[in-house]
Amino acid sequence: MKKIPLVLLLFFVVMLSAQEKKYVTIQRTHNLMGTNFDIVIVAESETAALKNIDYIVNEIKRIEKLISSWDTSSETSLINKNAGIQPVKVSAEIFDLIKRSISLSKLTKGAFDITFASMNTVWKFDGSLKNLPSHDEINSSISSVGYENIMLNQELSTVFLPRVGMKIGFDAIGKGYAVDKAKELMQSKKVFAGAISSTGDLVTWGRQASGEKWIYGIANPQKREDILTWLPLDESAVATSDNYKKYIVFNGEKYSHIIDPRTGYPTKGINRVSVFSKSAEFSDAIATAIFVMGVKAGLEFAKQLDNIEIIIVDVENHIHKTNGIKIDASN
């Protein structure tokens, strides 16, 4: 048995079989949107697989050009620059992404909110923050937060942020959206199968060259280099949010990079959330929202939704999950 590792402990089992003689499995890693994307394509030839990987790379670059907050010419940057000044005409793609984001904010009662971006000037997790933000600074930053203030004009396809200093950002949904769009592109081209993964966001379609389902490894919270259990993925997506690497410590207290947009303060109580659904975009947003909600409220929220399963690892490394997740205690 040969395993091809991807980020988030994803392994692809490629077994010798008659079917494998017909299809080849090619894996490549590309740095996109500021992080690594691992791309696996199952196709009839290496040439075809590599060509489709190029299509995926170009698609993700296209999306980054639209949504990046760092690119001063992106539609996101233009919306932010014109906050409190004037509406900005945007593409139907960005308009619809913002519209879906607002719907997700309503669904999560503000635990997910793309207007959180105005707090980026207060909380920094790049090593430059020397002192904790004051209560006044935090209160000032959240005065510009509020998805309900985003003004959309469907007829004119415009977006307006009515308050000076208000910003939107797609950090909590952008990569999920990108891998969904890349998968959609591959399916439109009738690509046999594949998987696309990036720092917490993963989509799959089709089956491995062997005919078996893709499988996803859940890390043991007590020893993250070990696999707690394997879960099959069939035309599925998973997104994981965690605070293992991106955080700051002041006076011995750990502050997560995931901020509650309703209060302006870092979340507490959770180390990792994984959300399984049919859409990486949806899973991405919901994983962030559950991180903000906390263990109890997050589980109750997930149980009210159709066709999703979640795993939460709390700060004591205890596992909480929905009923559809089966963990083999022997692992």
Side-chain angles (χ1 to χ4, degrees), residues 144-179:
S144 298
V145 175
Y147 67 90
E148 64 275 11
N149 295 316
I150 301 173
M151 300 176 67
L152 302 180
N153 186 314
Q154 183 85 45
E155 184 178 352
L156 298 177
S157 191
T158 61
V159 181
F160 182 45
L161 306 181
R163 300 178 182 177
V164 174
M166 193 174 180
K167 296 178 181 179
I168 61 170
F170 297 103
D171 289 1
I173 197 172
K175 291 185 180 66
Y177 174 66
V179 295

Side-chain angles (χ1 to χ4, degrees), residues 24-300:
V24 298
T25 302
I26 302 297
Q27 187 262 337
R28 293 289 185 271
T29 299
H30 289 265
N31 190 273
L32 304 161
M33 300 178 77
T35 190
N36 284 338
F37 278 73
D38 291 293
I39 305 167
V40 174
I41 293 294
V42 181
E44 294 182 356
S45 69
E46 180 175 352
T47 299
L50 291 173
K51 183 178 181 180
N52 284 303
I53 288 173
D54 286 341
Y55 284 137
I56 289 172
V57 170
N58 289 334
E59 175 69 353
I60 293 171
K61 286 180 177 178
R62 182 189 70 81
I63 292 167
E64 181 178 19
K65 184 69 177 174
L66 286 175
I67 69 174
S68 172
S69 298
W70 302 103
D71 185 337
T72 57
S73 64
S74 74
E75 292 189 22
T76 301
S77 293
L78 293 175
I79 292 168
N80 292 341
K81 285 177 186 176
N82 285 280
I85 301 172
Q86 62 184 354
V88 175
K89 186 175 180 60
V90 298
S91 62
E93 185 172 4
I94 285 295
F95 189 92
D96 289 344
L97 178 59
I98 293 172
K99 191 174 180 180
R100 291 195 304 276
S101 295
I102 293 172
S103 294
L104 286 165
S105 293
K106 291 177 180 177
L107 177 67
T108 62
K109 293 182 170 56
F112 166 82
D113 190 336
I114 59 172
T115 66
F116 80 97
S118 64
M119 294 185 293
N120 287 346
T121 58
V122 176
W123 290 100
K124 296 181 181 297
F125 297 87
D126 58 3
S128 63
L129 194 65
K130 303 304 179 184
N131 297 289
L132 281 177
S134 68
H135 293 301
D136 288 343
E137 288 174 324
I138 291 170
N139 288 335
S140 177
S141 73
I142 64 171
S143 67
S144 298
V145 175
Y147 67 90
E148 64 275 11
N149 295 316
I150 301 173
M151 300 176 67
L152 302 180
N153 186 314
Q154 183 85 45
E155 184 178 352
L156 298 177
S157 191
T158 61
V159 181
F160 182 45
L161 306 181
R163 300 178 182 177
V164 174
M166 193 174 180
K167 296 178 181 179
I168 61 170
F170 297 103
D171 289 1
I173 197 172
K175 291 185 180 66
Y177 174 66
V179 295
D180 274 346
K181 290 294 288 183
K183 171 184 173 179
E184 182 182 309
L185 176 64
M186 291 296 96
Q187 290 180 314
S188 73
K189 294 181 176 295
K190 310 298 182 185
V191 176
F192 178 73
I196 308 167
S197 172
S198 174
T199 57
D201 300 290
L202 162 73
V203 294
T204 67
W205 72 97
R207 299 291 179 92
Q208 297 176 67
S210 64
E212 296 193 20
K213 294 179 181 179
W214 305 103
I215 57 174
Y216 180 84
I218 298 295
N220 186 333
Q222 303 291 343
K223 195 176 182 182
R224 292 199 301 278
E225 62 270 23
D226 291 343
I227 298 298
L228 180 67
T229 194
W230 296 95
L231 297 176
L233 296 176
D234 196 8
E235 304 291 337
S236 299
V238 59
T240 295
S241 294
D242 67 52
N243 65 1
Y244 290 123
K245 294 182 179 179
K246 196 173 181 182
Y247 60 88
I248 54 177
V249 177
F250 280 102
N251 299 321
E253 185 171 355
K254 181 178 178 179
Y255 293 85
S256 167
H257 75 285
I258 299 177
I259 309 297
D260 186 337
R262 303 166 300 184
T263 67
Y265 284 88
T267 56
K268 293 183 177 181
I270 291 178
N271 277 342
R272 187 175 72 219
V273 177
S274 293
V275 177
F276 298 79
S277 76
K278 293 298 182 182
S279 161
E281 174 189 305
F282 182 80
S283 294
D284 206 354
I286 296 302
T288 299
I290 289 174
F291 222 105
V292 169
M293 293 176 187
V295 175
K296 184 177 180 180
L299 278 173
E300 288 303 313

